C-alpha cells in the first residue's frame, strides 16, 4: 500500500485492519501526512473548514458535508484546567458537547467541547443542543479566532528498534481556545483525529 498526500487535502479512506501495519516507506509518508494536517489546522481558525475541504473533494459526489454526530456519552463537567483556559471562575455556567465529526461514513475526528452558553446567542445554543451542525459552523457569525494551546502527534515517528511500524487509530490531538475578535474566550475544544485522516492509494 502506498500512502499519498494531495495538496492541502489530507483525510482518508478506511482499510480493513486497525491499527494499520505499514512498510517503512508507507509509515514515513503517514507521519508526513499527519504533520501536514497539523500545519493545516494551525493555519486556520476553524478545524471544521479544514475537514470540509477534504469532504468537498472526496465525499460522495462532492456534495457531502461535515456533520457533528452526538454519541451517547456522559457529560464531562468543566474542571479547574478547563475553567482556567476559558478564563472563568467556578460559578460561571459551562456547557459540554461531545461530537464525532464525520464526512459520510468516515469519522475523521472526535471533539470534546466546553463552551460558555452565556456568550452565545439563544439561536446558537438551540442549534448546538438540537442539531448535528458542527460548532465552528454554528458560531461562525461571531468571527472567532482560534488559539492552539497544544498539538501532539500520537503516531510515533521512530518506532522501537526491530518493531514493525504500525499506524494507531488516533494520530493527532489539538487543544485550542476559540475567542471573539475582542479576545473573550467562549470555547475550549480538544480534537482527536483518527487514522482516517490518511489518504491511501492501492
Amino acid at each position: 500500500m502506498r500512502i499519498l498526500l494531495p495538496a492541502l487535502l489530507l483525510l482518508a479512506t478506511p482499510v480493513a485492519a486497525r491499527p494499520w501495519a505499514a512498510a517503512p516507506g508507507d509509515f514515513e509518508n503517514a507521519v508526513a501526512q499527519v504533520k501536514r494536517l497539523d500545519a493545516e489546522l494551525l493555519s486556520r481558525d476553524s478545524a471544521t473548514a479544514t475537514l470540509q475541504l477534504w469532504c468537498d473533494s472526496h465525499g460522495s459526489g462532492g456534495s457531502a458535508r461535515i456533520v457533528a454526530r452526538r454519541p451517547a456519552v456522559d457529560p464531562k463537567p468543566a474542571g479547574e484546567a478547563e475553567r482556567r483556559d476559558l478564563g472563568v471562575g467556578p460559578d460561571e455556567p459551562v456547557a459540554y458537547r461531545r461530537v464525532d465529526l464525520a464526512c459520510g461514513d468516515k469519522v475523521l475526528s472526535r471533539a470534546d467541547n466546553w463552551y460558555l452558553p452565556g456568550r452565545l446567542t439563544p439561536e446558537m445554543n438551540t442549534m448546538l443542543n438540537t442539531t448535528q451542525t458542527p460548532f465552528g459552523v454554528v458560531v461562525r457569525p461571531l468571527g472567532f479566532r482560534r488559539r492552539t494551546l497544544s498539538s501532539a502527534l500520537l503516531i510515533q515517528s521512530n518506532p522501537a528498534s526491530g518493531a514493525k511500524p504500525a499506524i494507531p487509530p488516533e494520530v493527532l490531538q489539538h487543544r485550542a481556545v476559540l475567542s471573539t475578535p475582542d479576545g473573550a474566550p467562549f470555547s475550549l475544544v480538544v480534537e482527536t483525529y483518527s487514522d482516517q485522516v490518511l489518504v491511501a492509494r492501492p
Side-chain angles (χ1 to χ4, degrees):
M1 179 183 71
R2 296 177 63 194
I3 296 178
L4 175 68
L5 175 64
L8 299 183
L9 301 174
L10 302 162
L11 315 175
T13 54
V15 296
R18 296 172 65 183
W20 296 343
D26 290 338
F27 186 80
E28 291 166 6
N29 283 334
V31 173
Q33 287 193 44
V34 176
K35 289 181 178 179
R36 182 64 175 270
L37 173 60
D38 186 37
E40 289 295 321
L41 292 165
L42 291 171
S43 73
R44 294 186 176 89
D45 288 317
S46 173
T48 304
T50 300
L51 298 185
Q52 188 59 55
L53 283 174
W54 181 87
C55 212
D56 290 341
S57 294
H58 301 286
S60 177
S63 61
R65 305 297 297 173
I66 295 293
V67 297
R69 300 174 183 168
R70 302 189 65 179
V73 296
D74 293 331
K76 295 181 181 179
E80 182 178 341
E82 288 76 30
R83 290 181 176 276
R84 180 179 64 250
D85 289 339
L86 287 168
V88 296
D91 298 326
E92 179 78 17
V94 179
Y96 172 76
R97 190 182 195 232
R98 154 72 192 278
V99 300
D100 295 333
L101 292 171
C103 175
D105 61 355
K106 299 175 178 63
V107 175
L108 306 177
S109 73
R110 181 184 74 243
D112 294 285
N113 189 355
W114 293 265
Y115 63 95
L116 305 179
R119 297 185 183 177
L120 308 182
T121 67
E123 293 78 13
M124 290 175 182
N125 284 307
T126 297
M127 288 186 68
L128 292 172
N129 289 328
T130 62
T131 75
Q132 292 186 321
T133 308
F135 190 87
V137 175
V138 172
V139 302
R140 185 182 296 157
L142 297 178
F144 64 87
R145 299 291 180 264
R146 175 186 174 104
R147 178 169 61 93
T148 302
L149 303 178
S150 65
S151 170
L153 268 64
L154 306 180
I155 182 172
Q156 298 298 316
S157 58
N158 296 301
S161 178
K164 187 174 183 178
I167 299 170
E170 297 176 345
V171 296
L172 177 67
Q173 187 173 83
H174 275 204
R175 185 182 182 97
V177 168
L178 305 185
S179 302
T180 57
D182 63 0
F186 63 86
S187 169
L188 168 69
V189 63
V190 177
E191 302 155 346
T192 306
Y193 294 85
S194 78
D195 58 5
Q196 293 186 33
V197 300
L198 300 172
V199 176
R201 183 177 68 182

